[in-house]
Amino acid sequence: MATRYEAVHQTLNGPGDARPTALQIIRDEQLSGKWSDKTVLITGCSSGIGIETAKALHETGATIYATARDLNKAKSALSSIIDSDRVYLLELDLESLASVRNCAETFLAKSDRLDVLITNAGVMATPEGRTADGFETQFGTNHLAHFLLIQLLLPILEKSSKPNSQSRVVVLSSVAHRNGEVNFPNLNFDGEYDAWKAYAQSKTANLWASNEVERRFGPKGVHSLSVHPGGIMTGLMQHFSDEHKQALGTNPGVLALLKSPEQGAATTVWAATAKVHEGQGGKYLEDCQIAKPPKDGAAQFDPGYSAWAYDEKKAILLWERSLELVKPFLG
């Protein structure tokens, strides 16, 4: 499906070029001040594109719940909207499933509706480590914590859905999902840790979880889309080596495709708001479009989804395995 944004993604000139910003999406959808009856929850709002996602959706008039591990950092990052009586901060440490449950309980005690859930937070290419619950850091943080949050909030998403304005879940994935599937025999990569393969696993898991939300809950009025935001120089790159950063910073092709944080949040906001997605989901989006298969010989950062992106059997297997892993926190 072609969109109004396809043409501007053909010629890339780096951050601040003609590609849309998150705020432009809101204005193109004519939603400024129109969502005063809606509530949005966004994870990871103390840095990067989470900040721009929150700012753009605040423009709609919606009530925004923004999560962060460091609330003081989030207050500073969201300074332009933090004094609004429609913005609430919630503490959430994605390396702890107990923290996820506490965050969900706090939200449910404060709000009786949720129209859009955006699982934006994440880590990338971390040194080998384990979450508080013993899971490989990237799988535990990027996938399992958000998977648990989705499970705990599905009832309110379902209850808040209306026939002409159904609830949405937007899950941040990445083009890096093409670098590897889920390692079912060894989810923690014990004895074979590779930071990039572990990241790829977590991003494939994000994509599959989103597709499975759509399959299971789409008929109940909760639709899910996964998103590759694009290449953005944010704190997500803190674990890159200096050599890696320098190589990226001197590659003209990479520099041209990089987006500003405002542009990086655009596809997320398009997924969350665009009328074209009303009542449907189960797609992987990039560059404010539904992604297509990659072209033959596609380079590492070229558009397109993996051969396994829409593998239903593996997505179901991951869903069932994930339910088992978070079960102690579901009761």
Side-chain angles (χ1 to χ4, degrees), residues 243-304:
E243 292 81 6
H244 197 166
K245 288 178 186 173
Q246 190 173 3
L248 289 174
T250 55
N251 182 324
V254 171
L255 288 174
L257 66 78
L258 288 177
K259 298 178 180 180
S260 68
E262 294 88 348
Q263 290 172 314
T267 304
T268 298
V269 171
W270 187 64
T273 65
K275 294 175 186 67
V276 72
H277 302 305
E278 181 55 46
Q280 56 188 327
K283 299 295 183 184
Y284 168 73
L285 313 181
E286 57 189 351
D287 293 337
C288 299
Q289 302 160 70
I290 294 175
K292 304 175 180 74
K295 293 177 181 175
D296 289 341
Q300 182 180 3
F301 299 112
D302 286 348

Side-chain angles (χ1 to χ4, degrees), residues 42-54 67-70 73-78 120-122 232-238 261 265:
I42 309 161
T43 69
C45 293
S46 62
S47 65
I49 60 175
I51 300 166
E52 302 306 327
T53 302
T67 84
R69 182 165 54 180
D70 183 337
K73 186 179 176 187
K75 282 177 188 173
S76 175
L78 296 170
N120 163 81
I232 309 107
M233 290 292 212
T234 68
L236 199 62
M237 303 176 81
Q238 64 180 300

Side-chain angles (χ1 to χ4, degrees), residues 129-187:
R130 296 289 182 269
T131 66
D133 305 284
F135 302 113
E136 186 277 316
T137 299
Q138 299 183 82
F139 185 74
T141 302
N142 296 347
H143 168 61
L144 280 178
H146 281 132
F147 178 84
L148 174 60
L149 185 65
I150 291 169
Q151 299 304 316
L152 295 171
L153 297 180
L154 273 166
I156 194 172
L157 284 160
E158 195 176 328
K159 189 182 82 170
S160 304
S161 189
K162 302 172 186 172
N164 62 344
S165 180
Q166 300 193 350
S167 298
R168 299 188 191 187
V169 177
V170 180
V171 180
L172 273 282
S173 182
S174 167
V175 68
H177 84 275
R178 295 205 312 239
N179 296 334
E181 297 189 50
V182 172
N183 184 2
F184 285 108
N186 189 3
L187 291 172

Side-chain angles (χ1 to χ4, degrees), residues 39-235:
T39 298
V40 180
L41 192 155
I42 309 161
T43 69
C45 293
S46 62
S47 65
I49 60 175
I51 300 166
E52 302 306 327
T53 302
K55 287 179 181 176
L57 288 167
H58 180 260
E59 179 79 7
T60 67
T63 298
I64 306 295
Y65 285 84
T67 84
R69 182 165 54 180
D70 183 337
L71 295 186
N72 287 326
K73 186 179 176 187
K75 282 177 188 173
S76 175
L78 296 170
S79 57
S80 64
I81 62 170
I82 198 64
D83 292 329
S84 166
D85 60 2
R86 295 186 284 107
V87 175
Y88 300 88
L89 292 183
L90 297 173
E91 186 174 352
L92 173 60
D93 180 356
L94 291 167
E95 291 200 33
S96 161
L97 295 181
S99 177
V100 175
R101 183 167 176 84
N102 288 340
C103 179
E105 288 176 348
T106 301
F107 170 75
L108 292 169
K110 291 176 179 287
S111 179
D112 62 357
R113 69 173 303 111
L114 179 59
D115 301 274
V116 180
L117 169 62
I118 300 174
T119 63
N120 163 81
V123 294
M124 178 165 68
T126 57
E128 184 170 12
R130 296 289 182 269
T131 66
D133 305 284
F135 302 113
E136 186 277 316
T137 299
Q138 299 183 82
F139 185 74
T141 302
N142 296 347
H143 168 61
L144 280 178
H146 281 132
F147 178 84
L148 174 60
L149 185 65
I150 291 169
Q151 299 304 316
L152 295 171
L153 297 180
L154 273 166
I156 194 172
L157 284 160
E158 195 176 328
K159 189 182 82 170
S160 304
S161 189
K162 302 172 186 172
N164 62 344
S165 180
Q166 300 193 350
S167 298
R168 299 188 191 187
V169 177
V170 180
V171 180
L172 273 282
S173 182
S174 167
V175 68
H177 84 275
R178 295 205 312 239
N179 296 334
E181 297 189 50
V182 172
N183 184 2
F184 285 108
N186 189 3
L187 291 172
N188 280 345
F189 283 87
D190 286 322
E192 55 174 332
Y193 187 71
D194 178 297
W196 286 107
K197 285 182 180 175
Y199 182 62
Q201 166 176 263
S202 74
K203 294 291 107 178
T204 290
N206 289 147
L207 202 168
W208 282 350
S210 175
N211 289 350
E212 202 57 23
V213 169
E214 177 64 30
R215 264 191 291 272
R216 292 168 187 251
F217 295 91
K220 300 176 181 180
V222 182
H223 299 280
S224 187
L225 294 158
S226 57
V227 167
H228 166 49
I232 309 107
M233 290 292 212
T234 68

